[in-house]
Amino acid sequence: MTREGRISAADRRNRLARFFLIGALLAFFTLCLPDGGLAALAASEPTIRTTLTDGAVQKGSRKTFDVWARDGEGNKIASSVTLNGETVSPTWDDSDKTSFTLLFTREGRNTVTVRAASGGQTASVTYQLFYQKAEEGEIIGQAVWSVELFTIGCGYLVEPVEMDIREGENAAEQLLCLLHGCGYVGYYGGTPQKSFYLAYVGDGAQTRKKYNGYTNSRNAYGAPPSPRTLDPNPRVPAVLDGTLRKLVETHQLEYYDPEDYRNSSKGFLGEFVICNGSGWTYSVNHVFPNVSFSDTYLSDGDVVRVQFTLSYGHDIGGASASGGTPGVGGGTGSYYTIANKDRLTALLAQALRSPAGSTSGVRNACRTAEEAAMSLDASQSRVDAAYAALRAALDKAAVSSSAAGPSRTAVPSASSGRTTAGPATGDSPTSDETGRTGNSSPS
């Protein structure tokens, strides 16, 4: 073999050795990737999560839903939606999620497709929704509502209650009717049909047409049938009080004064009361919408919790919907772990209108459930245990979930002259050893 041949053969051997070495290194590093090499590479594909349910029956002509689209590193990316092949424009888009509102015109099967793309890869999710047309004003389901003052230690302003949902009705219209029926007024910006913003809840006897530039709901709905005095006694829970004081000390909040309501804002609870980060916000099925009440259309079984926040939602789990600052150490998260209390809230609505509400077993289970619901940092296990105990108490009492209790009066729905089961009304809110301040008590 010539010298040139020997060099050529050696070169081939070296090249082959380098090939196997590179292959071995690639295999080594692939296996060392988190969660296994190929699985980690697959995770780089976009992901999509929504609040839609495949196969659901849609009884209203409008459906509001949220989309969380992320790239492989967890960063938010743009998403698009089509309904039966037609593009649906976003209702609102922020740094966390994108909201869309579907308008159904085709009865029966409707196809909703959500897409997102990143790094040359595309993800899509398809849902089949079945629309049942209803006439304007027709009942299309029920939603559970509550109005909560947990952040100031005052329990429920309006205890959990079921309200009828009617075709064409948005959440702003339902909210104002709920407040009106429970003896209060709302002061709001925008209109119930567009850009609605709940600035304050006020005494039911308030007659002034404006407060700090916001409109009194009496202008549209008249005087509440049984006006109530808004008279909470703020006692900010220790788990929140210490955090807010620290944020003021470090100049992340401008002011915090638990006595502010009594000293300066009595009769009006809302924005900038007690703390510069205070105001009203809401969640639907444990998600805080990034759109106003007037842009939200509810579906049967939804749970709506209207909540008073002292710090831009960080104290109730809704920071992302309000801009996300300030958080602990300047971050955008919650101050503590926030449990999902929707299932418990819905069961409380059932228990409070039940004939068994006066029995000792259900009464005691209701009290335990309310204590868990009102605790800002209650663990999920505590909330779930309270739910199980209340469910067992109701089952033991053999109470039908559809039974109506004689101790409850009616809360008007948004459609004039129509009513649905709701809290009892009286001269003023009540309170007990649980810290509840509300329209009624299960005891």
Side-chain angles (χ1 to χ4, degrees), residues 92 132 216 298 314 322 343 360:
W92 191 257
Q132 295 179 355
N216 189 336
L298 302 176
H314 291 279
S322 59
R343 190 171 65 144
S360 61

Side-chain angles (χ1 to χ4, degrees), residues 9-254:
D11 184 57
R12 286 196 297 271
R13 288 194 296 273
N14 288 338
R15 290 181 181 180
L16 189 62
R18 285 198 297 271
F19 173 79
F20 283 113
L21 176 61
I22 292 172
L25 289 173
L26 286 173
F28 174 77
F29 285 118
T30 299
L31 292 173
C32 288
L33 287 172
D35 301 324
L38 294 177
L41 289 175
S44 63
E45 297 179 359
T47 60
I48 296 173
R49 179 168 62 92
T50 82
T51 53
L52 292 177
T53 300
D54 188 36
V57 174
Q58 176 63 31
K59 295 184 178 181
S61 60
R62 292 177 176 85
K63 172 72 175 178
T64 305
F65 75 102
D66 297 315
V67 175
W68 292 264
R70 299 290 186 267
D71 64 15
E73 296 180 351
N75 301 308
K76 182 181 180 295
I77 56 177
S79 57
S80 63
V81 171
T82 59
L83 173 60
N84 300 322
E86 298 293 328
T87 299
V88 178
S89 298
T91 305
W92 191 257
D93 189 29
D94 62 23
S95 60
D96 180 51
K97 59 183 178 291
T98 307
S99 298
F100 298 86
T101 299
L102 302 172
L103 177 59
F104 295 95
T105 58
R106 178 193 298 177
E107 293 188 64
R109 183 190 299 270
N110 288 260
T111 301
V112 180
T113 302
V114 184
R115 293 184 176 86
S118 176
Q121 300 187 76
T122 300
S124 67
V125 183
T126 298
Y127 301 87
Q128 302 296 328
L129 303 182
F130 297 86
Y131 172 49
Q132 295 179 355
K133 185 178 180 179
E135 298 300 321
E136 189 76 13
E138 182 180 340
I139 294 175
I140 57 174
Q142 286 192 321
V144 172
W145 285 76
S146 65
V147 182
E148 303 170 2
L149 305 178
F150 301 165
T151 57
I152 58 174
C154 295
Y156 288 106
L157 181 66
V158 177
E159 290 179 324
V161 59
E162 292 180 344
M163 288 189 70
D164 289 335
I165 307 168
R166 295 183 179 273
E167 168 60 20
E169 182 179 88
N170 64 40
E173 293 167 319
Q174 278 210 316
L175 171 64
L176 291 178
C177 283
L178 176 66
L179 292 175
H180 183 270
C182 292
Y184 304 105
V185 297
Y187 283 87
Y188 59 86
T191 70
Q193 291 74 40
K194 186 177 181 181
S195 303
F196 177 89
Y197 166 64
L198 180 66
Y200 298 92
V201 173
D203 284 342
Q206 289 289 347
T207 58
R208 57 201 302 181
K209 293 183 178 181
K210 295 277 188 177
Y211 180 71
N212 286 350
Y214 295 105
T215 302
N216 189 336
S217 60
R218 288 173 64 110
N219 300 347
Y221 293 90
S226 300
R228 289 179 175 274
T229 300
L230 182 66
D231 192 27
N233 181 27
R235 301 180 302 276
V236 178
V239 68
L240 176 58
D241 178 75
T243 298
L244 296 180
R245 294 184 186 279
K246 182 178 180 180
L247 290 172
V248 171
E249 291 173 1
T250 55
H251 307 291
Q252 296 181 68
L253 286 174
E254 294 178 19

